[in-house]
């Protein structure tokens, strides 16, 4: 699928990508079919492959045994938990599957909490949730508007990428944003890092100067503020290399390629050109 920018540049109508998850939104006895897509994307980022400089071929990575150095067959690759240095417990796929929950296809809202009680640090990745057919529009909009009216968000669990996650459902315009949430043991307590910062009364004059600077530099939010200059420079380098390669591939003047008819060389044109060169050399 071409990027949004590429489609707009060519004058095409933008088409949303296919949803990567489809299932049901459920609240008690109210259910509606929904589809979900990540709200962010890195598909337009410049990406590089690792090549062999000598052959220009791509390199592939393989697992090798850390002790023997030999390549390991895929069927012999297993998960291991390190209980001590160099001492691993093997965990089989069946054991991992036994702890998986049944939330792969249904977002069942278990509870609601006030939106302003969830701090930003718990939010991980946003996804857009929308009804997947017209039959579910009414149920979807009722759940969305009721949450908006009560200033609450829904809490549920969902399997995403073979991993069950806690998720938060937040009204957003006509749709709902599904935020994956970080686990409790992933968030560090701020007092562990800010506790040693001394409490002090700020100098009123300094506060006035800083406040003035803030007012002078305050502007309305724009996505341009988070542009990626590195990506822009990389694109310029790539375009420059493309132009250089194009010039090398297109010989000019006397060195131009012989005339072709399809994939067959036009022998008559080549012979005439050779004869003309020969006559010219005789005259000189």
């Amino acid at each position: 699928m071409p990027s949004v920018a590429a489609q707009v540049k060519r004058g095409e109508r933008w088409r949303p990508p296919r949803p990567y998850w489809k299932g049901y939104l459920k609240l008690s006895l109210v259910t509606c079919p929904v589809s979900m897509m990540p709200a962010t994307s890195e598909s337009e980022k410049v990406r590089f492959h690792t090549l062999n400089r000598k052959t220009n071929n791509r390199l592939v990575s393989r697992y090798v045994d850390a002790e023997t150095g030999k390549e390991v067959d895929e069927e012999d690759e297993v998960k291991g938990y390190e209980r001590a240095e160099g001492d691993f417990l093997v965990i089989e796929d069946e054991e991992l599957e036994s702890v998986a929950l049944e939330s792969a296809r249904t977002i069942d809202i278990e509870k609601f909490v006030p939106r302003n009680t969830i701090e930003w640090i718990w939010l991980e990745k946003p996804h857009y949730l929308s009804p997947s057919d017209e039959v579910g529009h009414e149920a979807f909009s009722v759940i969305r508007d009721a949450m908006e009216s009560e200033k609450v968000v829904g809490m549920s669990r969902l399997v995403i990428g073979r991993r069950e996650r806690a998720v938060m459902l937040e009204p957003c315009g006509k749709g709902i944003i599904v935020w994956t949430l970080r686990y409790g043991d992933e968030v560090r307590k701020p007092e562990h890092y800010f506790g040693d910062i001394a409490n002090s009364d700020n100098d009123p004059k300094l506060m006035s100067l800083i406040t003035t600077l803030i007012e002078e530099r305050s502007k309305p939010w724009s996505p341009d503020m988070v542009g990626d200059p590195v990506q822009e420079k990389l694109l310029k380098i790539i375009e420059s290399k493309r132009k250089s390669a194009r010039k090398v591939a297109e010989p000019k003047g006397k060195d131009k390629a012989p005339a072709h008819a399809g994939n067959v060389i036009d022998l008559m044109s080549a012979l005439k050109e050779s004869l003309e060169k020969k006559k010219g050399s005789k005259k000189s």
Side-chain angles (χ1 to χ4, degrees), residues 8-254:
V8 171
K9 189 174 181 180
R10 294 201 300 260
E12 299 176 6
R13 181 183 177 185
W14 179 77
R15 299 184 302 277
R18 293 180 181 178
Y20 89 109
W21 182 92
K22 281 191 172 185
Y24 295 89
L25 175 62
K26 183 174 183 290
L27 174 59
S28 186
L29 300 178
V30 180
T31 305
C32 65
V34 290
S35 58
M36 189 169 67
M37 281 295 297
T40 60
S41 172
E42 295 188 356
S43 62
E44 295 186 23
K45 293 282 187 182
V46 174
R47 298 182 184 277
F48 297 103
H49 296 289
T50 303
L51 308 178
N52 180 345
R53 184 187 292 276
K54 294 179 180 179
T55 64
N56 214 38
N57 296 330
R58 285 182 58 182
L59 302 183
V60 295
S61 58
R62 303 195 184 281
Y63 285 106
V64 297
D65 190 297
E67 298 297 326
T68 67
K70 293 182 179 179
E71 189 174 322
V72 180
D73 294 332
E74 188 175 349
E75 59 267 23
D76 292 327
E77 297 170 10
V78 293
K79 298 285 190 298
Y81 174 80
E82 190 172 20
R83 56 183 173 182
E85 187 174 354
D87 183 13
F88 297 90
L89 288 173
V90 173
I91 309 296
E92 301 293 345
D93 289 343
E94 295 78 13
E95 295 173 296
L96 293 173
E97 291 172 2
S98 69
V99 299
L101 300 182
E102 299 178 357
S103 52
R105 284 287 168 254
T106 301
I107 303 175
D108 191 354
I109 304 178
E110 302 164 356
K111 58 180 73 73
F112 296 93
V113 299
R115 175 63 183 91
N116 58 9
T117 62
I118 301 180
E119 297 181 50
W120 64 268
I121 199 168
W122 294 97
L123 306 182
E124 188 180 46
K125 187 174 181 180
H127 302 74
Y128 291 138
L129 189 73
S130 58
S132 56
D133 62 36
E134 293 185 4
V135 176
H137 279 213
E138 184 176 13
F140 181 89
S141 63
V142 167
I143 295 173
R144 177 202 63 211
D145 292 348
M147 287 195 294
E148 179 68 35
S149 174
E150 296 298 315
K151 300 294 186 289
V152 296
V153 292
M155 307 299 295
S156 185
R157 305 189 75 82
L158 179 65
V159 174
I160 300 177
R162 299 182 65 182
R163 185 184 182 192
E164 201 209 42
R165 308 303 305 265
V167 295
M168 181 189 87
L169 285 77
E170 180 178 21
C172 177
K174 293 183 178 180
I176 292 175
I177 291 184
V178 177
W179 285 94
T180 53
L181 302 177
R182 292 184 172 89
Y183 291 106
D185 57 0
E186 293 178 340
V187 176
R188 295 173 175 174
K189 295 182 179 180
E191 53 266 27
H192 291 172
Y193 303 90
F194 303 150
D196 294 336
I197 299 176
N199 293 321
S200 60
D201 294 329
N202 294 312
D203 185 331
K205 292 182 179 179
L206 287 175
M207 283 291 292
S208 177
L209 288 171
I210 296 298
T211 302
T212 301
L213 283 173
I214 290 173
E215 291 174 351
E216 288 176 353
R217 302 185 181 199
S218 294
K219 294 181 179 180
W221 159 254
S222 167
D224 294 337
M225 294 180 181
V226 289
D228 191 341
V230 173
Q231 291 291 309
E232 293 173 4
K233 290 176 182 177
L234 283 173
L235 289 171
K236 288 180 180 178
I237 291 172
I238 291 169
E239 184 59 28
S240 175
K241 285 184 173 289
R242 280 179 177 165
K243 288 180 179 178
S244 298
R246 203 176 296 131
K247 288 178 181 178
V248 172
E250 296 176 0
K252 297 180 179 179
K254 295 181 180 180

